[in-house]
Amino acid sequence: MKKLRWRLLVSVCVLNGAYFSTGAAAQDSVDASEELDPVVVYSFNNDRFAVAADRNTSIYVSRQAIEAAEMGTLRDVFAEDASVTVGGGIPIAQKIFVNGVDALNLNMTIEGAMQNNRAFHHVTANAIDPALLRAVRVDAGIAAADSGPNALGGSIAFQLIDALDLLEDGETMGGKATLSFDTNGNTFSQALTGFAEHNGFDILAFAKNAKGQDYTSGGDWEIPGTGANLQTGLLKGGYTSDTGHRFEVSGMMLKDKEERPHRANIGSLTRKPNDTIRLYDTLRKSFSFRYEHLEPTDLYDPEVVLGFSENNIDVPVPYGSKGTSNTLNGKVANTFHFGEDIGFTTGFDFYRKTANYEDPSSDLEEVATNFGGFGQVRWTPLSALKLSAGLRLDHQRFEGLGDFDTSVTGLSGNGSASYEVLEGLKLKAGYATVFGGIALEDNYVFNPSWDYSGIKPSRSHNVTTGFEFERSGFLLSGEVFRTDISDARSGDNNVDVLTEGFNLAAGYKWSSGTAKITYSNTRVEVDGDAADTYIAQDFAAPLGQVIAFNISHRLEEYDLTVGGDVQAALDYDTGSGDSNRTIDGYAVVGLFAEYQPEQIDGLKLRFEANNIFDEDYSDRGTYGGDYQTVNTLKEPGRSFSLTANYKF
């Protein structure tokens, strides 16, 4: 890891998150004015606010989880925490839910470039290759004002690998080659990374290809349209001046062009047996420019971001459909440090979102443009007490079909507090009300006959309260949450969406290993009634009770790390509408062994046995499990994989 002099590094034990990170040790407090010695950077973008009260609900995905998911999917990235669910067995269908809320209702960024380019409800708006990731932070429910606009259910921020992450001290260039093979679907993946640094300039180039056949579910049932055919690329460069000015540019793409299930997130519909597979041609792009100062002063601690992202979802059969959605966004902010215990972040941001549907007989488009200003105060009045509060003002112009044009304006506010009542025991709570504006619709359901006259801007109310106890390697935490979204957009109408429940976590970290179990219990309502997967689609998911257990242990004398995980969900009856069906529970067990021989520097071998009991199941976040007429998209059955990494 390349060592840089940072004025502030925070790497912190947070609820359901960084407790088991393999990075730098956690700190309960940081002197924001003290210049530290050079340190190894493991934290989330040198997150200066990681110990702030508004991070009470934040989940920092551990480096261990990110590295383990390198040749996997987003579901593997979030496998350590039951409160984040990823449904869908193939990458283009994987949708993220945070405390039950669909990520479409969160502010999501990659390197600061806003995502959530909504297109076609049968595919995801949030695909990303885990091999590109260096850090992930999820702000569940409560998002600070400077996290960005429209954070109805919180926010998710992804950061991508760069050369400075991979270079060791004294190195100026290097590379990494990765090969992986999975027996279920005979999927062969190859990735190559090159990186270099010279006179303050750094650059990284990454390319990956994954190709395979249709996988089989538990019981050896072949699932048509699930063969891997994914190409990923990343080019990222930066420059750091002698005085600490840091500029970064990045561009990434993911391409998946392959025959998929007729409705990519559904195995099949019993009433339409002839709808088997068809071609999906998908391309996702994200570009960003970032500026920050790594040696800020009390009055100059800036952040500048300019981003662009785009999804192209083309489905030639049967209508020659082409869906394009994109977002151009920017942000300028500065943090003023008024002494050691108080800081104020203020600035403005904007976005322009476009959603277009085109076929030989149609060309339909919606556009939303937003300008916002924000301020967030973070204060530690006592060593045991942390406070945070913020406001946003957003003005949005919405242009709909048929020359419809309107503007809406709204305020958002948040407040959070944490108090250490005893050594290691913290009580914490937060509230946020968020102006969501008028969301762009799924462009594959655009209807020229829509009447926008009654459409309203959405607003959410988020409440969370809980505790966290951490001492001598033990962790115990719990929280109760509620997200109430009023006037969420559905076509040319509005609906009210509610998710509520609680999360629990327990764990222990010893000198050579960790063990952790998390439990999440979530229920969903739409317009006051219990919701099934169809009614809640694009808003939330009826998840019920979900459990995640992870354990690992390092055998130093053998250069070996071994461990495993259990992903489980209990039976759940949505009790809603025409479905009125209990979604079956499941328990899936996996084991792994990772070997890093001391004799061969840079080599790492990882063996995994996944779903070892060949459970026939669909992840709880997968659509349609509560409908008799839906054959859900099954997850892979038993598989064995071997991954070889060689860094040179």
Side-chain angles (χ1 to χ4, degrees):
M1 181 71 66
K2 188 72 173 177
K3 293 183 179 179
L4 294 174
R5 179 176 294 271
W6 301 82
R7 185 170 180 265
L8 180 64
L9 170 68
V10 180
S11 183
V12 56
C13 298
V14 293
L15 176 63
N16 295 348
Y19 177 71
F20 296 112
S21 173
T22 56
Q27 301 174 15
D28 287 333
S29 62
V30 175
D31 184 343
S33 66
E34 179 183 357
E35 182 170 338
L36 304 178
D37 290 333
V39 293
V40 178
V41 178
Y42 283 98
S43 68
F44 184 89
N45 196 39
N46 192 37
D47 188 352
R48 60 180 64 86
F49 305 133
V51 295
D54 52 84
R55 298 288 196 256
N56 282 344
T57 62
S58 294
I59 301 164
Y60 290 78
V61 177
S62 71
R63 289 182 61 85
Q64 181 179 358
I66 292 174
E67 291 175 359
E70 182 177 14
M71 301 306 266
T73 68
L74 271 179
R75 186 168 181 267
D76 302 308
V77 171
F78 297 107
E80 291 183 348
D81 202 293
S83 65
V84 183
T85 300
V86 180
I90 53 178
I92 73 162
Q94 289 186 325
K95 300 186 179 184
I96 305 171
F97 302 92
V98 178
N99 286 344
V101 179
D102 192 310
L104 288 172
N105 304 287
L106 280 68
N107 179 289
M108 180 178 291
T109 60
I110 298 176
E111 294 287 298
M114 291 179 64
Q115 307 294 306
N116 274 344
N117 294 307
R118 188 175 179 185
F120 202 12
H121 48 279
H122 290 303
V123 298
T124 180
N126 315 122
I128 185 171
D129 191 327
L132 301 177
L133 298 177
R134 69 173 296 272
V136 183
R137 191 189 77 236
V138 180
D139 299 326
I142 312 298
D146 53 354
S147 294
N150 306 152
L152 290 167
S155 65
I156 304 178
F158 294 97
Q159 290 184 347
L160 306 179
I161 54 175
D162 61 33
L164 300 180
D165 290 320
L166 300 175
L167 287 168
E168 302 289 345
D169 282 336
E171 293 182 342
T172 58
M173 63 186 305
K176 186 174 78 167
T178 306
L179 298 176
S180 178
F181 181 77
D182 192 305
T183 59
N184 194 341
N186 295 324
T187 301
F188 183 45
S189 304
Q190 320 93 47
L192 184 63
T193 311
F195 41 89
E197 185 267 342
H198 182 67
N199 287 343
F201 291 92
D202 57 90
I203 189 168
L204 178 143
F206 171 90
K208 177 183 172 183
N209 178 65
K211 186 75 173 179
Q213 303 166 358
D214 293 341
Y215 63 67
T216 58
S217 66
D220 203 32
W221 296 97
E222 184 174 300
I223 309 301
T226 58
N229 187 10
L230 180 67
Q231 293 79 45
T232 307
L234 169 67
L235 185 63
K236 184 175 180 180
Y239 172 71
T240 305
S241 73
D242 293 337
T243 53
H245 297 280
R246 173 70 179 171
F247 303 87
E248 283 186 352
V249 292
S250 66
M252 57 155 279
M253 58 79 65
L254 290 85
K255 183 173 180 61
D256 187 313
K257 183 178 182 181
E258 187 59 75
E259 290 185 331
R260 299 298 177 203
H262 194 86
R263 298 158 186 82
N265 66 331
I266 299 175
S268 63
L269 299 179
T270 58
R271 70 180 186 273
K272 295 186 177 182
N274 295 324
D275 290 351
T276 54
I277 58 175
R278 57 178 171 173
L279 179 67
Y280 278 74
D281 187 357
T282 68
L283 178 65
R284 304 170 191 276
K285 297 168 285 188
S286 185
F287 307 91
S288 73
F289 165 82
R290 293 178 58 88
Y291 164 73
E292 60 183 337
H293 196 245
L294 305 183
E295 299 180 5
T297 67
D298 288 345
L299 300 180
Y300 185 69
D301 189 357
E303 180 186 14
V304 178
V305 175
L306 183 64
F308 177 79
S309 61
E310 183 171 87
N311 290 352
N312 302 105
I313 312 295
D314 297 345
V315 185
V317 176
Y319 306 115
S321 300
K322 295 183 178 181
T324 301
S325 51
N326 56 50
T327 301
L328 173 69
N329 73 288
K331 174 183 178 181
V332 177
N334 188 71
T335 299
F336 299 91
H337 301 278
F338 302 120
E340 299 179 358
D341 301 321
I342 187 168
F344 176 59
T345 301
T346 185
F348 64 89
D349 51 35
F350 77 90
Y351 69 72
R352 178 179 173 83
K353 294 186 175 184
T354 302
N356 178 269
Y357 173 82
E358 182 181 352
D359 64 32
S361 60
S362 304
D363 190 354
L364 306 172
E365 186 172 82
E366 289 185 345
V367 179
T369 305
N370 190 90
F371 292 92
F374 55 84
Q376 186 79 26
V377 176
R378 297 171 170 95
W379 183 30
T380 305
L382 303 171
S383 61
L385 178 64
K386 294 181 173 62
L387 302 174
S388 181
L391 286 173
R392 283 190 61 91
L393 176 64
D394 288 288
H395 177 75
Q396 184 197 62
R397 178 184 178 187
F398 174 80
E399 302 168 67
L401 308 181
D403 297 324
F404 178 82
D405 195 331
T406 190
S407 294
V408 292
T409 303
L411 275 170
S412 302
N414 71 86
S416 300
S418 70
Y419 183 66
E420 188 171 11
V421 294
L422 298 170
E423 183 182 354
L425 176 61
K426 295 180 182 179
L427 302 181
K428 47 194 182 180
Y431 170 77
T433 178
V434 181
F435 171 76
I438 301 173
L440 299 186
E441 245 305 359
D442 173 348
N443 54 18
Y444 269 72
V445 300
F446 280 174
N447 189 335
S449 66
W450 279 345
D451 179 5
Y452 293 96
S453 60
I455 203 165
K456 303 175 183 177
S458 61
R459 175 168 292 278
S460 70
H461 296 272
N462 298 273
V463 180
T464 181
T465 183
F467 73 94
E468 178 182 342
F469 175 74
E470 180 194 341
R471 183 183 295 176
S472 302
F474 288 95
L475 171 72
L476 182 64
S477 65
E479 65 174 358
V480 177
F481 62 85
R482 179 185 175 100
T483 295
D484 192 345
I485 305 175
S486 59
D487 296 317
R489 185 183 172 190
S490 178
D492 58 353
N493 296 303
N494 297 97
V495 299
D496 297 333
V497 181
L498 169 70
T499 69
E500 61 181 5
F502 62 93
N503 299 317
L504 299 172
Y508 178 62
K509 182 176 183 179
W510 58 97
S511 60
S512 54
T514 63
K516 178 182 177 183
I517 185 169
T518 61
Y519 167 89
S520 183
N521 191 329
T522 307
R523 64 181 295 272
V524 176
E525 290 183 0
V526 174
D527 284 338
D529 296 321
D532 55 36
T533 54
Y534 176 75
I535 295 172
Q537 183 175 227
D538 291 338
F539 305 128
L543 300 177
Q545 302 177 75
V546 181
I547 301 168
F549 172 73
N550 294 266
I551 187 169
S552 66
H553 181 76
R554 175 73 176 170
L555 301 169
E556 292 289 351
E557 62 272 32
Y558 301 109
D559 301 323
L560 186 67
T561 302
V562 296
D565 71 291
V566 179
Q567 305 295 320
L570 305 187
D571 291 352
Y572 183 53
D573 186 353
T574 63
S576 171
D578 296 331
S579 61
N580 195 24
R581 174 185 176 186
T582 298
I583 308 176
D584 293 335
Y586 57 84
V588 182
V589 180
L591 299 171
F592 77 89
E594 193 171 273
Y595 178 55
Q596 292 181 268
E598 186 177 349
Q599 301 87 342
I600 308 176
D601 186 35
L603 177 64
K604 180 170 68 174
L605 301 175
R606 182 181 177 90
F607 173 77
E608 295 184 9
N610 297 310
N611 195 357
I612 60 177
F613 297 113
D614 206 28
E615 182 84 1
D616 187 23
Y617 79 108
S618 296
D619 185 271
R620 183 52 55 85
T622 300
Y623 175 84
D626 48 351
Y627 276 85
Q628 298 284 357
T629 56
V630 175
N631 296 316
T632 56
L633 181 61
K634 299 287 188 178
E635 298 287 335
R638 183 187 297 113
S639 67
F640 302 95
S641 68
L642 178 64
T643 300
N645 267 302
Y646 182 61
K647 186 180 175 186
F648 52 91

